[in-house]
Amino acid sequence: MVYLYQVQKEIIVIIGGPGSGKTTIIDGLVQKGHCCYPEISRQVTAEAQEQGIEQLFLEKPLLFSQLLLEGRKKQFRDALLEPHQTVFLDRGIPDVLAYMHYIGDSYPASFDTACREHNYSKIFILPPWENIYISDQERYENFEQAQFIHNHLVETYQKYGYELIEVPKDTVDNRILFILEEISK
């Protein structure tokens, strides 16, 4: 008798408020040879600035969120096609809703549907960490706002049934080691 087993793709999301170290960890995972997809909000923001919209998130939050949602859905689909068993993403689809909750805007039901239709294997959350927090041209939030965003992320991901694994504040290498050890459990 022959059995066919479908290999489960591991799509791992790293989330956290602004300035919590997500991109640094993604970059470190890439350097160690892991398949990673970057955060797309900076790309969306840069493209809007090229069209003369300085802060798309502030000026047209729903359009910004729709562009992020589509980009993250594409990342999910692309991750499924990767030859790698494990793919890391810098933020996931529920991040879009968490930010919409943070700014108090409503969104179409399709946003909720997208969260329900795209399921991730594990979610790692980086806590707010004032010692490493830096503002820049695309990150306009202050540290207190970053903490509020963190709370919205926790609430939103838990709403969709995810168990969040908090990554301890530590060196980049130790944070990456923690993530890799958790995945292998």
Side-chain angles (χ1 to χ4, degrees), residues 9-78:
K9 176 76 67 169
E10 294 285 328
I11 302 178
I12 310 294
V13 180
I14 299 176
I15 67 169
S20 58
K22 294 175 303 302
T23 302
T24 303
I25 287 175
I26 290 288
D27 291 346
L29 286 164
V30 168
Q31 290 174 1
K32 293 182 183 306
H34 295 278
C35 180
C36 301
Y37 286 27
E39 162 61 275
I40 60 171
S41 65
R42 288 180 185 263
Q43 176 188 344
V44 170
T45 299
E47 289 171 3
Q49 288 172 343
E50 288 173 10
Q51 297 174 10
I53 303 171
E54 264 317 295
Q55 276 293 348
L56 183 61
F57 176 70
L58 296 175
E59 296 175 39
K60 297 182 180 182
L62 185 57
L63 174 60
F64 179 77
S65 296
Q66 288 170 328
L67 293 170
L68 287 182
L69 183 73
E70 290 309 312
R72 291 198 178 126
K73 286 168 45 178
K74 181 181 182 322
Q75 283 185 329
F76 185 91
R77 289 189 305 271
D78 291 348

Side-chain angles (χ1 to χ4, degrees), residues 68-182:
L68 287 182
L69 183 73
E70 290 309 312
R72 291 198 178 126
K73 286 168 45 178
K74 181 181 182 322
Q75 283 185 329
F76 185 91
R77 289 189 305 271
D78 291 348
L80 290 174
L81 300 175
E82 284 288 342
H84 305 276
Q85 175 60 31
T86 302
V87 179
F88 293 93
L89 305 178
D90 187 340
R91 297 195 179 276
I93 294 169
D95 280 67
V96 177
L97 278 69
Y99 273 81
M100 294 298 283
H101 296 158
Y102 167 70
I103 63 172
D105 270 1
S106 58
Y107 46 84
S110 60
F111 281 45
D112 178 68
T113 301
C115 289
R116 295 186 191 285
E117 291 178 346
H118 299 80
N119 296 301
Y120 302 107
S121 306
K122 290 190 179 185
I123 308 295
F124 289 92
I125 187 161
L126 306 179
W129 191 358
E130 194 165 14
N131 290 348
I132 66 168
Y133 185 84
I134 298 171
S135 291
D136 62 23
Q137 190 172 359
E138 289 90 17
R139 183 183 300 131
Y140 66 89
E141 302 94 352
N142 62 35
F143 183 71
E144 183 179 314
Q145 291 167 318
Q147 290 174 305
F148 285 126
I149 291 168
H150 170 85
N151 295 340
H152 283 283
L153 287 166
V154 169
E155 181 181 301
T156 302
Y157 274 87
Q158 287 177 343
K159 172 186 171 187
Y160 291 102
Y162 290 107
E163 179 182 328
L164 305 178
I165 303 166
E166 185 169 311
V167 179
K169 297 174 183 175
D170 204 336
T171 65
V172 174
D173 286 339
N174 285 345
R175 292 177 113 187
I176 289 171
L177 183 61
F178 174 85
I179 291 168
L180 296 176
E181 286 176 351
E182 284 292 320

